[in-house]
Amino acid sequence: MLPVDLPGTVRDALLAPLVDHHCHGVRRDDLGRAGFELLISAGGVPAPPGTTHFDTPSGAAVRRWCAPLLDLEPHAPPAVYLARRAELGAGEVNRRLLAGAGVVAFLVDSAREDADLLSAAETGRHGGAAADELVRIEEIERGVARTAQLAVDYLDSLGEELAGRAARAVGVKTVIGPLCGLDLDPARPARGAVIAAANRRLADPKEPLTDPVLLSYLLWSGIDVARERGLPVQFHTGFGAPGTLRSDPPADPSAGHGLGHGLGHGLGLGLGHGAGVGHEAGAGHAAGTGYGAGTGYGAGLGHGAGLGYGLARAAEPDRADPAGLGRFAAALQPLGVPMILLHPYPFHRQAAHLAGAFPHVYVDAGLALPHLGAGARVMDELLELAPFHKQLFSSGCHGLAESAYLGALTFRRALAAALAARLDSGEWSTADAARVAHMIGSGNARRIYRL
């Protein structure tokens, strides 16, 4: 499994059970090829005519690494792999792959009560692991907006629902970045402005929330609840996730279920090193690192019939750049609420800088690793820039148990390569490498989420 030879203690640390601190439910039903390919694709959209999403890094990884868990030879052809998957049935496939990930605890963003997805408890049972829930504040707001009649009732219900859900969770999550950008005003919005925004929201509650005033109020409400209960707050940054912001999904997965990843390939390519961000962190820390603020990978919001909305967001990759969080991180620091920057690629250097500059900011590589052929380089750069006690593991899996398995596999392989380079150069001792592997794989998450 590991790509390099390592001392036994380091190898044991890398293969030890992981804490997957951010993932989603996986499908409980059998999928046809069209639905399966949508969920292995980075953009969550069908492949162009005459092509297949199996011809991607993630598609090749499924055939290479997941096939043996289904009793197939490595590199099994797509048709053979999918036929075997159908023969075993979704339940058995989910059990094999989730258990094979070697995870001791899943922290699940179960934002949507989708009967087609495993719940947090079911995810844990299938994987032979503990499982806890993450509360996504925008999803709570969505439910409140659909039932509230008056702005005052809306605000009161929002606070009650947030507190109630947080009482049963280990963390709070926001996707405010793709909705309105991460260059957040750290000031709390005025009450009058919030009520006016709430009235506008109730006039059209089915649309995704994009009003910056109401999003700011919602975020601060979530932070207040997190502070009261000692919970961290996860921020969606950089590399998106299927279904992050979709509305009600179509029943047929081949008709667009899981759209919303929106990497925006070909949009904005060519923005490279040197564009710089230089955002002031508010306390003398510059959040920029001098690296380009976009490579064509954006945080699209598309879903089903609303795909154009997602493509528009994919053309604005800077929305998901965590460098814009500098002032907000400085404002949040006195409150002691941990901020966790999820899957920030291609802005991982900016995120790592913030993790080094602020004592309450953390970072992971997340689901970028199984979707990239350069996962080892991303992990290596995080180790160069971010404190080791500020890094975590997450698979970011969604829809397919394969994504959970590959998330864990690619994390272990990428970290193994980075540790081997440091050991070979004499930069680290064997004890250093083993300790860092334990910290990132599970120890840091146990401490932050109080597991």
Side-chain angles (χ1 to χ4, degrees):
M1 175 188 289
L2 300 181
V4 290
D5 289 329
L6 291 163
T9 54
V10 179
R11 186 178 185 86
D12 291 345
L14 285 164
L15 297 178
L18 303 169
V19 172
D20 189 345
H21 86 105
H22 172 249
C23 60
H24 303 262
V26 301
R27 301 276 300 207
R28 67 173 73 250
D29 55 334
D30 294 317
L31 293 169
R33 178 158 182 164
F36 186 89
E37 288 207 27
L38 282 177
L39 291 172
I40 64 169
S41 70
V45 295
T51 69
T52 172
H53 284 313
F54 277 100
D55 288 335
T56 62
S58 57
V62 166
R63 295 174 50 234
R64 167 60 183 92
W65 298 109
C66 298
L69 273 74
L70 305 191
D71 307 319
L72 297 172
E73 291 296 319
H75 313 294
V80 173
Y81 182 87
L82 293 173
R84 177 58 175 165
R85 200 179 195 278
E87 180 184 9
L88 289 171
E92 178 63 15
V93 170
N94 289 340
R95 281 187 288 273
R96 292 189 184 195
L97 291 168
L98 290 174
V103 169
V104 71
F106 293 98
L107 307 190
V108 184
D109 172 7
S110 52
R112 302 194 60 83
E113 293 186 0
D114 189 336
D116 291 330
L117 297 179
L118 297 184
S119 67
E122 290 173 315
T123 299
R125 286 197 296 272
H126 279 68
D132 288 289
E133 289 196 30
L134 302 167
V135 176
R136 191 193 300 184
I137 59 176
E138 290 82 7
E139 185 70 12
I140 292 177
E141 186 280 334
R142 182 170 173 264
V144 170
R146 289 189 169 189
T147 58
Q149 300 297 317
L150 301 173
V152 174
D153 295 337
Y154 165 85
L155 298 178
D156 289 343
S157 296
L158 191 57
E160 293 170 1
E161 287 295 318
L162 284 170
R165 288 285 301 278
R168 306 187 298 274
V170 295
V172 173
K173 177 183 174 182
T174 177
V175 292
I176 192 172
L179 290 168
C180 73
L182 290 174
D183 188 10
L184 304 175
D185 183 347
R188 293 177 184 255
R191 177 74 174 180
V194 171
I195 291 176
N199 282 320
R200 294 192 297 271
R201 172 63 169 155
L202 295 181
D204 194 7
K206 293 185 178 181
E207 289 299 310
L209 176 61
T210 57
D211 187 301
V213 172
L214 209 50
L215 282 168
S216 177
Y217 175 82
L218 177 62
L219 177 57
W220 275 111
S221 298
I223 288 171
D224 289 339
V225 168
R227 183 187 185 191
E228 291 170 4
R229 303 201 63 84
L231 304 178
V233 178
Q234 298 181 347
F235 284 75
H236 174 112
T237 69
F239 202 104
T244 295
L245 298 163
R246 70 176 187 260
S247 295
D248 294 324
D252 179 4
S254 65
H257 184 87
L259 300 183
H261 197 322
L263 277 181
H265 289 292
L267 298 173
L269 287 170
L271 300 179
H273 298 295
V277 289
H279 195 293
E280 289 301 318
H285 298 292
T289 64
Y291 278 76
T295 64
Y297 294 93
L301 317 180
H303 58 80
L307 181 57
Y309 185 52
L311 292 179
R313 288 295 183 262
E316 302 174 274
D318 58 301
R319 281 176 171 265
D321 185 348
L325 283 170
R327 292 184 303 148
F328 195 86
L332 198 58
Q333 182 176 343
L335 302 183
V337 176
M339 294 176 61
I340 303 177
L341 309 181
L342 301 173
H343 45 65
Y345 180 86
F347 310 113
H348 53 290
R349 297 184 70 88
Q350 289 92 320
H353 171 84
L354 290 177
F358 293 100
H360 62 302
V361 177
Y362 299 80
V363 65
D364 73 11
L367 55 78
L369 296 181
H371 282 280
L372 297 174
R377 289 198 294 274
V378 173
M379 181 64 69
D380 190 69
E381 290 183 343
L382 288 176
L383 289 176
E384 288 178 358
L385 293 168
F388 314 133
H389 59 273
K390 295 294 202 70
Q391 301 183 45
L392 302 97
F393 159 72
S394 76
S395 68
C397 81
H398 186 284
L400 296 176
E402 282 87 348
S403 60
Y405 178 75
L406 291 174
L409 175 80
T410 53
F411 165 78
R412 288 185 169 107
R413 289 175 61 82
L415 184 55
L419 295 179
R422 285 158 174 78
L423 288 170
D424 291 344
S425 68
E427 182 180 350
W428 287 13
S429 70
T430 297
D432 289 334
R435 187 177 66 256
V436 169
H438 273 300
M439 280 195 291
I440 301 177
S442 62
N444 294 339
R446 291 181 184 278
R447 183 182 74 253
I448 297 163
Y449 293 95
R450 302 186 300 177
L451 301 178

